[in-house]
């Protein structure tokens, strides 16, 4: 790709199934699949912030016979990644997935996509300021339906922010269901369920800006 952007090149480690990024992806996919298995609802809503090429959600839904239950919105700013995600969703026959070119840091981008039963914040918290992480966590109940699940990731580079993220999630009304922090890599994957009350979306707000 002669005009490949930084955010398209970021996906290249997925080609190595042993790369930390691929290992993280498999963990996220396992939790998405488990969530689907535990939710017998006829209709489920998913929103993915900074979705990239959609490997996590599309990879899980593509082989599943019950994929039609999921109405999903993937928010991604990079045009090349949007095109790649749209192509992958189309090839998998996932007509209920919408890939929207939008800034996921703006709450207005979520209009019509939330409240969601599953919110994916994968690859977000490691690319924004600590203050924006806290602000985003505090805003998550605006994106959630009652009892929604949030799956998030964050590298544990020093100083490790994950203890604070987990505390902020607790303060925002979430219960931790899983937290993975493998010893031999820096990534972490968290799974939290909203135990408190969802909040109406304030579509005028900004929660984060990417640093890179």
């Amino acid at each position: 790709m002669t005009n490949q952007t930084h955010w398209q090149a970021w996906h290249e480690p997925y080609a190595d199934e042993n790369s930390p990024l691929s290992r993280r992806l498999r963990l996220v996919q396992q939790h998405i699949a488990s969530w689907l298995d535990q939710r017998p609802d006829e209709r489920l809503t998913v929103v993915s912030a900074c979705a990239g090429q959609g490997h996590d959600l599309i990879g899980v839904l593509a082989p599943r016979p019950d994929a039609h239950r999921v109405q999903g919105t993937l928010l991604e700013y990079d045009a090349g990644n949007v095109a790649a995600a749209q192509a992958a969703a189309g090839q998998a026959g996932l007509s209920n997935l919408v890939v929207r070119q939008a800034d996921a840091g703006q709450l207005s981008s979520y209009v019509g996509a939330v409240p969601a039963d599953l919110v994916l914040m994968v690859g977000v918290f490691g690319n924004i300021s600590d203050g924006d992480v806290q602000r985003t966590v505090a805003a998550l109940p605006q994106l959630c339906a009652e009892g929604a699940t949030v799956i998030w990731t964050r590298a544990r580079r020093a100083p490790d922010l994950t203890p604070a993220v987990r505390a902020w999630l607790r303060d925002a009304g979430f219960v931790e269901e899983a937290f993975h922090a493998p010893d031999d890599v820096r990534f972490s994957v968290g799974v939290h369920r909203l135990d408190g009350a969802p909040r109406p979306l304030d579509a005028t707000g900004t929660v984060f800006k990417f640093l890179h």
Side-chain angles (χ1 to χ4, degrees):
M1 296 176 66
T2 55
N3 295 318
Q4 187 179 47
T5 67
H6 165 69
W7 292 113
Q8 292 162 44
W10 183 88
H11 289 72
E12 290 176 352
Y14 283 127
D16 177 4
E17 64 178 17
N18 295 314
S19 71
L21 197 61
S22 291
R23 289 174 57 188
R24 191 188 79 176
L25 173 64
R26 286 194 292 273
L27 263 177
V28 170
Q29 289 177 329
Q30 287 167 15
H31 281 291
I32 295 173
S34 176
W35 173 80
L36 281 167
D37 292 341
Q38 295 169 17
R39 293 289 301 260
D41 315 52
E42 291 185 5
R43 185 179 185 276
L44 292 164
T45 303
V46 180
V47 66
S48 179
C50 304
Q53 297 177 7
H55 291 299
D56 43 21
L57 185 59
I58 295 171
V60 172
L61 292 180
R64 289 183 68 106
D66 63 345
H68 62 276
R69 295 193 296 136
V70 175
Q71 187 78 35
T73 303
L74 285 67
L75 303 177
E76 170 58 33
Y77 192 76
D78 184 272
N81 285 337
V82 168
Q86 288 173 336
Q91 186 174 4
L94 300 173
S95 58
N96 287 343
L97 292 190
V98 174
V99 185
R100 183 183 300 171
Q101 186 173 8
D103 181 354
Q106 304 291 327
L107 290 177
S108 58
S109 298
Y110 297 85
V111 172
V114 298
D117 300 302
L118 176 64
V119 178
L120 299 177
M121 285 279 166
V122 177
V124 179
F125 293 165
N127 293 290
I128 62 180
S129 70
D130 293 357
D132 279 0
V133 175
Q134 186 174 13
R135 188 175 299 107
T136 302
V137 169
L140 284 174
Q142 297 184 47
L143 309 182
C144 291
E146 185 175 358
T149 294
V150 174
I151 301 176
W152 59 277
T153 63
R154 165 77 189 206
R156 286 169 287 119
R157 57 183 174 268
D160 183 4
L161 192 68
T162 60
V165 175
R166 297 162 78 184
W168 294 334
L169 282 158
R170 184 174 61 249
D171 293 344
F174 290 86
V175 174
E176 185 170 284
E177 296 196 329
F179 180 72
H180 303 274
D183 291 336
D184 61 332
V185 289
R186 293 194 304 175
F187 74 71
S188 55
V189 176
V191 182
H192 283 69
R193 176 178 50 82
L194 182 63
D195 193 43
R199 297 206 314 269
L201 179 67
D202 175 10
T204 65
T206 299
V207 286
F208 66 78
K209 294 181 180 179
F210 258 48
L211 296 175
H212 308 294

